[in-house]
Amino acid sequence: RNKRNMRSLGEALGGKEKMCHIKILSSTTTLTDEGYTMSAVSSFNDEGRSRRPLLLASAGQKTPSLYMVVAMAQSFAWFFGLPILCKPLWGQLFHDRSPNESELILNLATILGTFAIYMAVIFPIYWLEIPFFEQYKIDPDHPWPWKKQQNTTNSGSSSISQSEQENEAARKLFWAMTKKSVQLMAINQCLLIPLLTHMKHVMFPTSAPSFDVVEDWPSYWEMLTDNGSMCLLHELGFYLSHRMMHSHKYLYQFHKVHHEYKQNNVMAAQHNHPIDYILTIVGPALLSTVIVNPHSVTQFQFAVWILVTNLDDHCGYSFPWSPVRWFPFASLTEQHEFHHAINMGCFASKLNIYDKIFDSETTYLKWSKKRDAKSSHPAKEE
């Protein structure tokens, strides 16, 4: 079974069945064909020598630390501050608009605005490769594919030429994938979102959210209960549809498009076949809003939360200050990265409740337990 998992992992990462060194899931974890090795405080190069201290990297997304305080502060700002900022805008933006038009504007502005803001934050981190942030890179041994690598080896012009060709091929593949992601994003968000929003109002005319800022503006208790209810419903819908896409060959032909990225970055979050996008992304979100029928500002809060979670799942970093990871039952970024790495288990996104209920995180827990054991008792160098 372990050999099968290794083969699956190698294929998922684009490697061969016999792997010498593949770094996944954390900046301090190494998976080799001999087993798992890990250092809690150091990152190692291929020869096993300590490269640089990573004391901060040991502060995980659920480890009590100053970073967790920062994560909590962001969450509280989202819950308490966002409605305060939105209230004066709601009357100006939606006062004279129909419910259908208002919700369409809200949906498009939320999706495109959240992506634009997240990109504005993460792009400098990608491009500048600042060491402070790079210590949280999930796959530190493999450079980002858009980077042109300078080959400094002295092993001969033929090997240098081959390496340069491989690097150039990887860069061309990345930009081709990015172009495809932009095309899919245009179809899904600029065509499907308006269509599905209109269908929601036709099929469920009483589910249109209120945009009133005087009589219907929700209390914080209503925001808490509605956000919590939508989160549980959406996570159940996403879990079941996501697992279904992996379980049936016919459906997987659509979902496998999302797994085309071998090294996750934020564009992978937008890389969905339209059928996959309807079934696993928009479908659960629309159904949860239909069932709960929240106020529009609560719906906006919820949409921002699930969008940030999706981007965080695929950003390629496991930041300990992530606002969507610090609380009980929240899934970790590495769990979704693990899912992408071996293409099995960890079907959840925001919460790991249903992974626990339906026993679909066993493989990840075994890996995590073995990693932690190696961290506590590092193997002696031979």
Side-chain angles (χ1 to χ4, degrees), residues 51-221:
R51 184 169 61 204
R52 58 185 172 89
L54 288 177
L55 294 173
L56 293 176
S58 64
Q61 292 178 318
K62 290 189 178 181
T63 302
S65 66
L66 180 60
Y67 294 131
M68 179 177 281
V69 176
V70 175
M72 295 171 65
Q74 294 176 78
S75 299
F76 292 151
W78 161 82
F79 183 74
F80 293 104
L82 204 56
I84 296 174
L85 295 175
C86 290
K87 192 170 184 178
L89 297 175
W90 247 233
Q92 299 177 26
L93 293 174
F94 306 113
H95 177 67
D96 296 325
R97 302 183 187 276
S98 66
N100 191 354
E101 185 182 5
S102 295
E103 188 170 10
L104 175 58
I105 293 173
L106 180 64
N107 290 342
L108 288 175
T110 305
I111 293 171
L112 298 176
T114 302
F115 178 73
I117 293 172
Y118 197 96
M119 279 296 294
V121 174
I122 200 70
F123 180 78
I125 295 175
Y126 283 145
W127 195 257
L128 298 176
E129 294 184 320
I130 300 170
F132 174 75
F133 297 110
E134 290 305 295
Q135 65 182 319
Y136 301 110
K137 190 168 183 280
I138 292 175
D139 188 6
D141 276 1
H142 293 85
W144 293 116
W146 57 80
K147 287 284 187 178
K148 188 172 183 178
Q149 303 302 309
Q150 298 295 328
N151 194 311
T152 58
T153 62
N154 296 317
S155 55
S157 58
S158 60
S159 61
I160 293 176
S161 177
Q162 182 179 358
S163 177
E164 290 176 345
Q165 290 175 1
E166 291 174 353
N167 175 243
E168 185 63 24
R171 293 176 69 237
K172 288 182 178 179
L173 177 61
F174 167 77
W175 289 116
M177 290 285 289
T178 300
K179 180 180 178 181
K180 183 177 179 180
S181 297
V182 172
Q183 292 171 340
L184 289 171
M185 185 176 177
I187 294 171
N188 295 335
Q189 299 178 3
C190 298
L191 294 179
L192 289 182
I193 290 297
L195 176 62
L196 294 172
T197 301
H198 179 70
M199 288 178 60
K200 175 193 172 185
H201 284 265
V202 172
M203 298 173 64
F204 308 100
T206 61
S207 67
S210 171
F211 286 84
D212 183 78
V213 297
V214 179
E215 296 180 359
D216 292 339
W217 194 261
S219 65
Y220 282 114
W221 175 250

Side-chain angles (χ1 to χ4, degrees), residues 30 37 45 53 62 65 108 116 133 142 221 282 287 289 300 312 320 323 330 334 351 367 371 377:
T30 304
T37 61
N45 58 19
K62 290 189 178 181
S65 66
L108 288 175
F133 297 110
H142 293 85
W221 175 250
V282 183
L287 287 176
T289 59
F300 173 63
D312 188 81
E334 74 170 24
L351 306 174
W367 173 85
R371 175 196 63 184
H377 307 285

Side-chain angles (χ1 to χ4, degrees), residues 2 5-7 9-10 13 19-26 28-38 141 338 341-342 367 370:
N2 289 336
N5 288 340
M6 285 295 298
R7 284 195 295 270
L9 178 58
L13 294 175
M19 296 175 291
C20 293
H21 240 71
I22 294 178
K23 286 283 192 85
I24 61 168
L25 308 180
S26 81
T28 56
T29 305
T30 304
L31 174 62
T32 69
D33 53 1
E34 290 81 24
Y36 300 92
T37 61
M38 179 178 178
D141 276 1
F338 187 87
I342 67 172
W367 173 85
K370 195 167 186 178

Side-chain angles (χ1 to χ4, degrees), residues 232-248 251 279-280 284 347-349 354-355 357-358 360:
L232 291 171
L233 289 169
H234 177 270
E235 189 63 35
L236 177 62
F238 175 81
Y239 176 90
L240 294 176
S241 59
H242 187 196
R243 187 162 186 173
M244 179 178 65
M245 300 297 280
H246 277 272
S247 301
H248 298 277
L251 293 175
L279 293 179
T280 65
F347 298 106
S349 175
Y354 301 111
D355 269 327
I357 292 175
F358 298 110
S360 54

Side-chain angles (χ1 to χ4, degrees), residues 359-377:
D359 193 27
S360 54
E361 62 176 2
T362 304
T363 305
Y364 164 77
L365 292 176
K366 287 180 179 179
W367 173 85
S368 179
K369 184 178 180 181
K370 195 167 186 178
R371 175 196 63 184
D372 294 341
K374 291 291 185 180
S375 173
S376 300
H377 307 285

